[in-house]
Amino acid sequence: MSVFTEKHILLGVTGSIAGYKAADLASKLAQSGSQVDVILTGAGEKFVTPLTFQSVTGRRAYIDSDLWGNEAHVLHVSFGKSADLLVIAPCTAHTLAKLAHGLADNLLTVTALAAECPLVIAPAMDGGMFYHPTTQENVAKLKAGGAIIVGPGEGHLASGLTGKGRMIEPAEIMGHIRIILGRNGKLAGKKVVVTAGGTQESIDPVRVISNHSSGKQGYALAQAALDSGAEVCLITAPTALPPPVGARVINVNSVQNMLDAVMGETADVLIMAAAGADFRPTHIVKDKIKKRDGIPQIELEAAPDILKTVAGSNSEKKHFKVVVGFAAENRDLLENAFEKLTSKKLDLIAANDISAKDAGFAVDNNRVTLLFASGTTETLPLLSKMEVAEKIIEHTSRLLE
Ligand code: PMT
């Protein structure tokens, strides 16, 4: 079950060109499993039609004239009572001002007044309008009243100017929504450290020894921990992925950097999904090795083992209460994973079969067997990395209990 499952989300769309991005947001929310009801203001309808939203949510989209229809007297109240979240994206300076002052002259603003759920506002306007003292006062007033203002972002504006005022991207708004929906989850009040990606061990200023880890599994774990209400620190080797909204990110390169970052944290949970180097060059060559000098002989040494180092300083569980590792294996999966579970003193290890093409490194799915220190095991089918992450986080919260 994801953080969006069975959630009722109201999406308010006001009169901004960023309305076209709201269709993407509505689509993302609906695909995530939420029930999405869209309310367009009159100006919002001028930019994007209700049909667009109906097409992506599979539900009727509401407009101002619905305020005067048959259900009019109850619509805003029933929306206000049943919604888990009201998101207004894009929100113009005008609607922002109305919300700040409790004005309720259309279906969206009357619903906002009736709503008992959290309110997320993604402003979209020209930079000068956003920085106008009146808008700033309205933003401060709404924040003081508990509204969550996300953005605006910087970049090209519809006016042709460049600056702050753009509605932030739907994917980023989704990240903020996840945090709000998950904030009372099973890991609320807990801190989780997740490592991700493949470390890079320098040979010279240009070349590195690395591996095929894309960071997808680690980033999914960080997201699943955020969805459960945890405070998350993501220690990541270089990846092409955007970090999950709300995670504190520490960027590292080498396994030594990763070790230092892990040892610098104290948390309830450590999850080591990163593919750390086991070997590294004994020396980093100062200048670029030239081809004309022939094929270099690169001497390797053992790289520090992060989990073993953690185990050495965590006998009383003061550093991390629960430690989870992964074992990436292409043969003797369970034997090798069990050896790592015990030698690295883990509470749980995800034995990761990397021999199959449809799971493991860089793809979107994973196939793991969970081995617990208690001796039990659980074999999971082929799942998306997010589903694997949700299972691991679920078990982790149980182990913390
Ligand atoms: O990043 P993706 O493309 O999504 O791929 C996901 C994954 C396959 C990388 C991930 O699911 C995974 O299996 N991560 C562990 C990879 C690994 O290094 O496995 P290992 O069996 O070599 O190491 C065992 C454990 O020790 C791991 O938890 C690892 O993080 C840790 N380790 C490894 C090396 C090292 N120097 N120090 C460590 O602590």
Side-chain angles (χ1 to χ4, degrees):
M1 232 174 61
S2 96
V3 76
F4 292 101
T5 312
E6 290 170 13
K7 294 290 181 341
H8 181 203
I9 298 183
L10 296 178
L11 173 61
V13 179
T14 71
S16 157
I17 180 58
Y20 79 92
K21 291 190 197 170
D24 183 26
L25 178 60
S27 168
K28 283 186 161 62
L29 285 168
Q31 285 178 50
S32 303
S34 293
Q35 177 189 307
V36 188
D37 282 315
V38 177
I39 305 174
L40 291 127
T41 63
E45 256 190 281
K46 292 203 162 46
F47 286 91
V48 202
T49 70
L51 183 62
T52 308
F53 290 99
Q54 277 167 215
S55 308
V56 293
T57 63
R59 296 173 64 79
R60 153 167 192 219
Y62 293 84
I63 54 174
D64 272 351
S65 57
D66 291 313
L67 189 55
W68 310 107
N70 288 343
E71 316 160 70
H73 59 296
V74 288
L75 189 58
H76 61 291
V77 178
S78 73
F79 272 158
K81 286 222 178 302
S82 66
D84 293 292
L85 191 68
L86 168 58
V87 187
I88 306 184
C91 185
T92 58
H94 183 59
T95 295
L96 199 102
K98 289 201 279 185
L99 295 168
H101 292 87
L103 299 182
D105 64 344
N106 59 17
L107 182 59
L108 176 61
T109 49
V110 79
T111 303
L113 264 194
E116 294 168 8
C117 58
L119 169 63
V120 174
I121 296 173
M125 61 197 75
D126 201 56
M129 292 168 73
F130 183 69
Y131 284 114
H132 191 285
T134 309
T135 306
Q136 286 299 307
E137 253 175 51
N138 292 335
V139 166
K141 200 162 179 215
L142 285 163
K143 275 187 185 167
I148 298 121
I149 313 283
V150 297
E154 293 218 21
H156 175 78
L157 301 168
S159 60
L161 300 172
T162 300
K164 199 162 177 167
R166 284 168 68 88
M167 185 178 92
I168 60 168
E169 294 304 315
E172 205 183 332
I173 298 176
M174 289 290 283
H176 289 283
I177 292 174
R178 298 180 87 116
I179 289 178
I180 297 156
L181 294 179
R183 64 187 171 188
N184 296 320
K186 285 188 179 147
L187 291 179
K190 306 286 183 212
K191 183 175 164 188
V192 177
V193 174
V194 179
T195 66
T199 62
Q200 297 186 346
E201 310 304 320
S202 292
I203 298 170
D204 69 3
V206 177
R207 302 165 180 101
V208 295
I209 297 176
S210 191
N211 56 66
H212 296 299
S213 170
S214 63
K216 284 182 181 180
Q217 186 61 77
Y219 278 52
L221 281 154
Q223 183 64 70
L226 286 162
D227 288 352
S228 294
E231 175 194 338
V232 173
C233 170
L234 173 63
I235 300 174
T236 177
T239 74
L241 304 171
V245 172
R248 177 166 59 87
V249 179
I250 302 180
N251 291 296
V252 297
N253 287 297
S254 67
V255 75
Q256 182 63 52
N257 295 158
M258 189 170 273
L259 171 64
D260 294 343
V262 169
M263 295 308 282
E265 299 292 326
T266 299
D268 296 283
V269 182
L270 168 66
I271 306 178
M272 284 285 304
D278 293 321
F279 314 105
R280 64 183 178 187
T282 313
H283 306 289
I284 302 173
V285 179
K286 190 167 150 280
D287 296 313
K288 183 181 175 186
I289 300 168
K290 303 304 286 180
K291 234 173 16 182
R292 64 170 177 255
D293 295 335
I295 296 175
Q297 296 298 308
I298 299 162
E299 195 189 330
L300 300 179
E301 64 179 11
D305 188 307
I306 300 171
L307 280 173
K308 283 194 176 160
T309 313
V310 167
S313 68
N314 199 35
S315 55
E316 291 172 42
K317 300 266 177 193
K318 282 191 179 151
H319 206 45
F320 301 106
K321 293 193 185 98
V322 170
V323 181
V324 179
F326 274 76
E329 304 290 344
N330 68 342
R331 61 192 165 112
D332 303 329
L333 177 67
L334 296 185
E335 294 83 337
N336 285 327
F338 184 73
E339 190 281 319
K340 285 173 183 168
L341 175 75
T342 49
S343 68
K344 299 189 185 219
K345 296 195 168 64
L346 306 174
D347 299 286
L348 164 60
I349 195 160
N352 203 157
D353 182 356
I354 53 159
S355 62
K357 287 249 175 313
D358 57 357
F361 288 114
V363 293
D364 290 333
N365 297 325
N366 218 349
R367 187 184 284 107
V368 302
T369 296
L370 305 178
L371 278 68
F372 295 83
S374 60
T376 54
T377 61
E378 182 180 338
T379 300
L380 301 179
L382 183 69
L383 296 172
S384 72
K385 284 185 174 169
M386 194 61 211
E387 288 167 325
V388 169
E390 282 162 1
K391 290 270 180 205
I392 291 173
I393 290 297
E394 212 177 291
H395 280 297
T396 304
S397 71
R398 270 191 222 129
L399 290 169
L400 269 177
E401 284 163 14

